[in-house]
Amino acid sequence: MGDYYRLLLSHKEALNLVGVDALQTILARLPDFASELQPQLAAILANQEKLLNLKRVKAWRQARWPVRPYSGQALRPFLLKPEYRLVPYLGEAQVQMRDELVAWAQGLGRDGVPRLGMRLYTGPGGAGKTRLLIEAGEDLRRTGWAVYFLGESVTPADAGYFSETPCPTVLILDYVTDRQGMVEALLKQMARQRQHRAAPLALILLERTAPRWFEALAVSIHDPEYVGLPELLALPTMQKQALAIPPLSTEAERRELFAQAVASFAKIIRTDGPDPGALPSDLPQRPLFVLLLALLAATGGDMAHLRDENEILAATWRRERGLWRQKLQHAGLPAPLLADGGELHPGHAHFAHPGSRDQPSPATDLLPARLFR
């Protein structure tokens, strides 16, 4: 009996299916079951249910829908995070890609289309990958879909919990180059459900470029557990070619995004709207850098000399450094380590000297990593 339950405990799905019934049957045949073991059995069953639910709850706590209102009253780079949606989703190609993604997901399971699907979206930092999924996800959620980003702390052992949903579901994984094990675990669960899942299930992956292991899916897949991975990946809805996020293709689209952003930021700081001043002749094609320019414009920055993305980042860094210096001075604390010219403050030898090979990149270190997704 001990060996039997050790085996069951190592296979959660088997324990769920037969463990309780088997325990009841075995104990019922013992002569002292009714008088001595019945209370213990009740306690065991209650605890098992709690443990199983606890694991499921812990897993789902790592799944989130990030959209939330921005409650701050200051213009800092983190307000550009896509979950705040402070600026309308603009661009003809961007809107078209959003609508096509929604239509693709809603088409799963209809008119002979398989219920299971997978896609990979790629693009450089700041291209709008996360915002695309947030916009498409908002549309799907309004029609009854469950749409969740799975956090980095989710483990392959949790994959079964996320594939058990009874409603149409989209699961999103970001930065998937280092999450091969999680993707493979989800694919195995999808393969097991290929014949009997009732509701659509879509797996959406995000990354700057297609990982090598993802490109290998198009030519070979190992299936040592014989769950039907080759059959799953042969479905036409399991797309193994990455889809690139388009840039803001026209100057008119970029200027519209800039104007909308300046207006949104002016509302936050409760002004009538700053004078943006002279703009560079060509605005950046990546939305993030257009928004950073708008952030600088809304706070009275000089943008005419900002000719490329590196200069925009450097100007953002200078502004952030100045804000921190003011905050420290107001609090009566020592001056910041960085002097006005951008060089490191003298007397702090444990920091790399300008020009050192170990010197960090000041233009990007302070900005949140999620801004560049």
Side-chain angles (χ1 to χ4, degrees), residues 22-327:
L23 179 60
Q24 288 176 319
T25 301
I26 292 171
L27 292 181
R29 295 182 179 181
L30 299 178
D32 54 356
F33 169 71
S35 60
E36 298 182 13
L37 295 181
Q38 179 69 39
Q40 297 181 33
L41 175 60
I44 290 172
L45 298 182
N47 289 333
Q48 183 203 39
E49 185 64 23
K50 290 179 182 178
L51 287 172
L52 292 175
N53 283 335
L54 180 61
K55 291 177 181 178
R56 183 177 289 106
V57 169
K58 284 184 176 179
W60 274 104
R61 281 177 179 169
Q62 308 306 316
R64 66 188 187 95
W65 184 241
V67 173
R68 60 188 187 275
Y70 180 72
S71 58
Q73 297 181 348
L75 298 184
R76 307 298 296 274
F78 55 76
L79 64 78
L80 301 183
K81 289 182 177 181
E83 51 261 42
Y84 292 129
R85 304 176 77 207
L86 289 175
V87 180
Y89 192 64
L90 301 175
E92 182 179 355
Q94 284 71 21
V95 171
Q96 183 179 355
M97 177 169 274
R98 177 202 63 193
D99 294 344
E100 190 278 332
L101 171 55
V102 171
W104 171 80
Q106 292 177 334
L108 295 175
R110 295 181 180 177
D111 302 324
V113 176
R115 291 184 176 87
L116 305 175
M118 177 184 69
R119 280 185 169 184
L120 168 67
Y121 286 93
T122 61
K129 300 183 291 297
T130 302
R131 183 66 188 269
L132 167 67
L133 268 297
I134 284 177
E135 294 301 317
E138 284 287 286
D139 287 350
L140 290 169
R141 286 164 65 90
R142 282 192 289 269
T143 60
W145 282 66
V147 186
Y148 292 100
F149 285 80
L150 300 186
E152 296 179 358
S153 57
V154 170
T155 67
D158 299 325
Y161 300 127
F162 301 119
S163 61
E164 293 173 351
T165 55
C167 60
T169 301
V170 175
L171 301 175
I172 306 165
L173 273 73
D174 209 345
Y175 289 119
V176 294
T177 293
D178 298 326
R179 305 186 72 181
Q180 180 179 356
M182 187 67 211
V183 174
E184 290 178 347
L186 288 169
L187 289 176
K188 288 178 182 178
Q189 293 296 331
M190 294 172 70
R192 292 186 176 99
Q193 298 185 16
R194 186 169 54 89
Q195 300 293 344
H196 63 269
R197 181 175 172 89
L201 173 61
L203 177 62
I204 306 294
L205 312 177
L206 304 178
E207 188 50 280
R208 296 187 178 185
T209 59
R212 291 184 179 180
W213 58 262
F214 183 86
E215 294 176 341
L217 292 178
V219 294
S220 65
I221 184 66
H222 298 289
D223 189 18
E225 298 179 28
Y226 299 101
V227 295
L229 280 174
E231 293 84 352
L232 172 72
L233 292 173
L235 297 176
T237 49
M238 303 295 291
Q239 300 180 8
K240 295 174 284 295
Q241 296 296 322
L243 300 172
I245 302 291
L248 291 169
S249 57
T250 67
E251 185 68 17
E253 289 179 344
R254 297 192 284 272
R255 289 186 175 274
E256 182 182 3
L257 177 61
F258 177 86
Q260 293 275 8
V262 169
S264 297
F265 300 157
K267 291 180 181 179
I268 293 175
I269 56 179
R270 300 178 181 178
T271 67
D272 295 332
D275 180 7
L279 284 176
S281 57
D282 294 316
L283 288 172
Q285 292 188 345
R286 281 194 270 180
L288 169 64
F289 295 94
V290 176
L291 297 178
L292 286 174
L293 273 177
L295 183 68
L296 294 170
T299 54
D302 178 15
M303 300 167 297
H305 65 286
L306 302 179
R307 294 179 298 275
D308 59 35
E309 294 175 351
N310 285 333
E311 292 182 353
I312 294 172
L313 288 175
T316 305
W317 165 254
R318 286 193 298 270
R319 177 178 178 270
E320 285 297 299
R321 192 176 62 237
L323 292 174
W324 277 107
R325 182 180 293 108
Q326 293 174 13
K327 185 173 292 188

